[in-house]
Amino acid sequence: MYRFLLTPRWWGINLFVVLAIPFCVFMGTWQLGRFEDRVQSHEQAEKQPDPSTRAAKPLDELLPVDKVTSGRPAVATGTYADQFLVPGRELDDRQGFYVLNMLRTDSGKALPVVRGWLPGSASDAKVPAAPRGEVTVTGDLQASENARSKGVDVRGGLPGGQLGMISAATLVNLVPYDVYDAWVTLPKPEAGGTGGEMKPVPAAAPEGSGLDLKAFQNLGYTGEWFVFAGFVLFMWFRLVRREAEAARDVALGLVPDGAEAGSEESGAGAAGAEESSGAAGPEGSETGADRLEAGAGGSEAGSDGADVGPVGSEAPAGSQNPAGSQDAVGSQGSGVAGDVRAAEAGSGR
């Protein structure tokens, strides 16, 4: 009964099932692992002390930035150079912009430093001047932003002097020197009162260290992949069952319901055609016979007319009756015409 599983069509179906189920299980397990990693990172971040409370270290010792060094105080010395404004940044439920200055260090690279936040629009904004000369800054270390970071503007088309994303890949196209793949934010206003109007920008948690929406998306994807695996297996069993039932019906000589209904309909149509043809045939024959009888009657009437002609022509000897002769001929002609019409009617013309 199950020999159909060895046919070429079922070889293709079986191969698809054998490959699809392990793939779905693998993808579901991988998504579950991503969710567990995010949960573990979140638990570790809660157990560790606040990075900003730990001792400051030189910038080069904390690079590259990862989940452990993100938020740690970093120390760098240099002079401020180019200044950029980063619009569309929110602080305390208010819209504003960051004030960012490039700090050129002795190594030749520049470190982006967010000196503070100001409310309002970055266009034509009055920004406090950066300190002059060599300065030493201590700020919370942050990784370069990307398109998924909060507040990032990737649309482009910003006016000159404005920046949509704080990253080395963006800044290297705007300044003529190398840039660190990181940036720092000052935890308190600058000394000397030059930046007293700006608010400090708090350091953000490292990406992927919290139970955010992405973590629960991984959990949802896990369930979807396992559901796909179960669905593939269910459909395979259902197809096998239907094929086995069809093979059993054929072996027992059973005809599917659809085929029986089609046979009954075709038989009824044939019977109807026979009935209509049979009814029409005798009726047409009877009509032809009736017409023949009518033609015969006309013929007899014509002959009677012919007989009457001579009788009506009785007259004295030697007299002639042209009118009676003509009536007899006309009667005979009528009888012949009647015979012709009856013959035509009988033949179905």
Side-chain angles (χ1 to χ4, degrees), residues 89-108:
R89 299 307 173 103
E90 185 177 345
L91 184 63
D92 297 336
D93 297 330
R94 299 175 62 189
Q95 286 290 334
F97 58 93
Y98 291 166
V99 179
L100 182 146
N101 285 83
M102 305 298 294
L103 182 70
R104 299 197 63 176
T105 62
D106 296 337
S107 63

Side-chain angles (χ1 to χ4, degrees), residues 9-346:
R9 180 171 68 91
W10 274 95
W11 269 109
I13 296 175
N14 296 334
L15 180 62
F16 171 78
V17 173
V18 169
L19 296 178
I21 292 179
F23 176 76
C24 292
V25 173
F26 168 76
M27 293 300 298
T29 305
W30 179 73
Q31 290 288 350
L32 182 61
R34 292 291 302 271
F35 173 75
E36 292 176 348
D37 291 342
R38 291 179 182 273
V39 172
Q40 186 176 4
S41 299
H42 177 67
E43 293 176 350
Q44 292 178 354
E46 288 184 344
K47 293 179 181 179
Q48 293 180 356
D50 188 359
S52 60
T53 60
R54 305 177 69 175
K57 288 187 176 182
L59 174 65
D60 294 333
E61 295 182 11
L62 300 177
L63 296 178
V65 184
D66 54 20
K67 295 180 180 180
V68 178
T69 60
S70 179
R72 291 281 301 272
V75 180
T77 301
T79 57
Y80 282 118
D82 298 277
Q83 178 174 280
F84 299 95
L85 304 181
V86 187
R89 299 307 173 103
E90 185 177 345
L91 184 63
D92 297 336
D93 297 330
R94 299 175 62 189
Q95 286 290 334
F97 58 93
Y98 291 166
V99 179
L100 182 146
N101 285 83
M102 305 298 294
L103 182 70
R104 299 197 63 176
T105 62
D106 296 337
S107 63
K109 288 186 176 182
L111 175 67
V113 178
V114 175
R115 295 167 50 217
W117 175 89
L118 287 174
S121 175
S123 300
D124 300 329
K126 295 181 179 181
V127 179
R132 296 180 178 274
E134 187 176 72
V135 294
T136 299
V137 299
T138 302
D140 297 333
L141 188 63
Q142 300 280 272
S144 292
E145 294 180 337
N146 53 56
R148 300 185 302 271
S149 301
K150 184 179 179 180
V152 169
D153 185 2
V154 296
R155 295 173 300 176
L158 296 174
Q162 296 186 19
L163 189 66
M165 179 170 58
I166 306 175
S167 69
T170 303
L171 288 166
V172 74
N173 298 320
L174 302 176
V175 295
Y177 38 79
D178 294 334
V179 180
Y180 281 105
D181 190 15
W183 59 283
V184 298
T185 174
L186 301 182
K188 50 187 177 181
E190 297 171 336
T194 56
E197 299 178 3
M198 295 186 293
K199 292 185 177 181
V201 177
E207 185 177 357
S209 62
L211 292 179
D212 52 3
L213 180 60
K214 294 180 181 179
F216 293 101
Q217 285 179 346
N218 294 132
L219 186 61
Y221 294 151
T222 300
E224 288 181 359
W225 282 112
F226 286 121
V227 169
F228 290 160
F231 179 75
V232 171
L233 190 61
F234 166 76
M235 290 302 299
W236 183 82
F237 276 112
R238 185 171 181 179
L239 291 175
V240 170
R241 181 179 177 182
R242 291 181 60 183
E243 194 80 10
E245 291 177 352
R248 182 186 60 188
D249 293 343
V250 172
L252 296 176
L254 300 178
V255 181
D257 295 338
E260 291 180 356
S263 300
E264 292 176 358
E265 291 178 359
S266 61
E274 291 177 359
E275 291 177 0
S276 76
S277 62
E283 184 176 357
S285 302
E286 292 175 358
T287 303
D290 294 342
R291 292 178 179 177
L292 285 173
E293 291 178 0
S299 176
E300 291 176 357
S303 60
D304 292 343
D307 294 337
V308 170
V311 174
S313 62
E314 291 180 358
S319 65
Q320 295 181 357
N321 190 359
S325 300
Q326 292 177 358
D327 293 339
V329 173
S331 299
Q332 293 177 359
S334 300
V336 174
D339 293 340
V340 173
R341 287 195 297 269
E344 291 179 351

